[in-house]
Amino acid sequence: MGRITLDKVTKRFGDVEVIPPLDLTIEEGEFVVFVGPSGCGKSTLLRLIAGLEDVTGGQIRIDGKDATETPPAKRGLAMVFQSYALYPHMSVRKNIAFPLKMAGMDQAEQKRRIDNAAKVLNLADYIDRRPGQLSGGQRQRVAIGRAIVREPAAFLFDEPLSNLDAALRVGMRLEISELHERLKTTMVYVTHDQVEAMTMADKIVVLRAGHIEQVGSPLELYRAPRNLFVASFIGSPKMNLISGSEAAKRSASTIGIRPEHISVSPTEGLWKGRVGVSEHLGSDTFFYVHDTGLADDITVRVSGEVELRAGDTVYLTPDAEKIHRFDQAGLRLK
Amino acid sequence: MATAHSRSAARLMISPAVILLLGWMIIPLSMTIYFSFLRYNLLSPGNESWAGFDNYRYFLTDPAFFDAMGNTFILVLGVLLITVVGGILLGLLLDQPFFGQGIVRILVIAPFFVMPTVSALVWKNMFMNPVNGLFAYMATAVGLEPFDFLSHAPLASIILIVSWQWLPFATLILLTALQSLDQEQLEASEMDGAGPINRFIFIMLPHLGRAITVVILIQTIFLLSIFAEILVTTNGGPGTATTNLTYLVYVQSLLQFDVGGGSAGGIVAVILANIVAIFLMRMIGKNLDA
Ligand SMILES: Nc1ncnc2c1ncn2[C@@H]1O[C@H](COP(=O)(O)OP(=O)(O)O)[C@@H](O)[C@H]1O
Ligand SMILES: [Mg+2]
């Protein structure tokens, strides 16, 4: 249960083609993350899968069965919305019970499932409160609770953490990953935050303007980005992209080197530059190095604390093994 | 306005407005109360004498009073029912995207701008008239006997006229409430397996609760004192079939020239309206708390 296949799925709003023909298979039990910049069609794609939007062309299959024309409730999918979309006039318990009540499930089974969800998500303390009396994180949990009681074939999440503060976001990220470990149900998760994508996904789908740029595991995308877009989108801080003579030397149009793959020395190295702003995080230090003659800024990441001041001269040496090369069209060279 | 000085200055400055408002209310009210205890008939001016509670006794034991009470409540409840239900249905309809939405919305609001006397006259003469009315014409066109609305179903006809006037108000308020409903909630309920009817019952109706409360409260205040529509259509008749409390007070004081009795009726109406208001606030006012 929970294998979703998109076959040449297309979506237009009027004249605008938001999703050009797109093929994708989401395997059973997989945690798939759609990631891409704002407005690239991630939500639209998720809503097509959910059935909240009609496809313009193509076919959606769930567990091998054509579900293109199936209404949302019959697809066996549960969705967690960005705004949580809790029903404000119902208590938490009633919110969670709603899909079960609509399915006409008997009271005993409803109670068993609600109690189970309450235990898994720690809802017991506020199960009789209304959504308006809950914090953002608690609402998020209730929304997830409402999804899990249905025991769906797959969960769909649309940027569920974007309304939470940074600390809570990290916590909920972990909880959702743990939930996936426990339930082993297919999850499709939409985010514009590549850190969320990298930390949670089994499989990342990078989207740009409705196109799939690359599909792969987080490390595949990190190690071998297929083009410049994926290279600069995945990884934090961003990969340094250098064109010109340095690239030509390696018979490429553009080369990329990640900040963590550059070593720093005050005395010798391949590229010479001047330290600009530095960001000390304790565990890591980021330097922005100017005047290298390569690009405006080269970002360098060094482990631990490093004593370098603004204006100091530094020498940078990229790890030759870790240099990514791209051709004129921005595609990866091997 | 923190210091004692600024507070007393503020009091001084708002006092003219307060005194004016108080006078505006207190003087007519106390005069009405005073008249209600007098034997005061306009046919024999200068012969006023103290009547004690006689006026009240006559008014409250008058069979017309009970009819008027009943008519008032039927009128208010009937119009509330029609406008709230109709307003919800029209609101749902107007919330759908369709061609010419803007113009249709303005047309729906239009009846609210027509003066009560005018609209009642239009209904009486152009729609309900058993000889020249549009309804009579339609009835004869399909071979039926024309129905004389205002003599055979007078109260229902007035309820219809008043509902027509108030439907736009209810629609407007309920439509804006519907538009403020979060679309994601509807989508969530759709995914949760709620069909259109369940979505309406479990998601839309609770969301509309507060707007319905506002509609009921505001309309009740105005509907308790319906007058013009009755005056120009039925004159409270036949018999007392369409006499409500307001109209009864009018009959008492201006048609029978009995100022004392009319004043007593007015005071009774004020007391009843306040009782209704208290009950309403108790019953549904809590919906207004956030
Ligand atoms: N109902 C709609 N009508 C017209 N255009 C839409 C509609 N929904 C989304 N779009 C357009 O589709 C594109 C993708 O939107 P969306 O899927 O919400 O992006 P994302 O979730 O990746 O930020 C955007 O350019 C947006 O303007
Ligand atoms: Mg989105």
Side-chain angles (χ1 to χ4, degrees), chain B residues 86-156:
Chain B
I88 291 173
L89 294 178
L90 267 178
L92 286 173
L93 205 65
L94 293 178
D95 199 24
Q96 310 299 319
F98 58 85
F99 181 74
Q101 199 177 35
I103 289 178
V104 173
R105 282 186 187 167
I106 290 174
L107 285 181
V108 168
I109 310 305
F112 206 48
F113 297 119
V114 180
M115 283 156 272
T117 25
V118 175
S119 81
L121 279 175
V122 167
W123 274 93
K124 179 186 178 184
N125 294 320
M126 296 179 71
F127 291 105
M128 293 173 164
N129 188 299
V131 181
N132 303 316
L134 203 61
F135 294 151
Y137 177 78
M138 290 196 297
T140 32
V142 295
L144 294 174
E145 192 76 3
F147 185 73
D148 188 355
F149 288 90
L150 287 170
S151 21
H152 292 126
L155 192 55

Side-chain angles (χ1 to χ4, degrees), chain A residues 13 18 37-44 53:
Chain A
F13 288 114
V18 177
S38 219
C40 70
K42 309 175 296 284
S43 298
T44 306
E53 300 275 0

Side-chain angles (χ1 to χ4, degrees), chain A residues 132-148:
Chain A
Q133 302 162 310
L134 303 181
S135 72
Q138 291 171 329
R139 284 180 212 190
Q140 181 64 67
R141 266 179 223 186
V142 177
I144 296 174
R146 194 173 63 185
I148 64 176

Side-chain angles (χ1 to χ4, degrees), chain A residues 11-36:
Chain A
K11 177 66 187 176
R12 295 170 159 278
F13 288 114
D15 289 340
V16 190
E17 190 168 66
V18 177
I19 310 279
L22 178 148
D23 293 301
L24 179 69
T25 303
I26 295 163
E27 298 294 343
E28 187 182 329
E30 220 170 22
F31 197 125
V32 175
V33 176
F34 294 167
V35 67

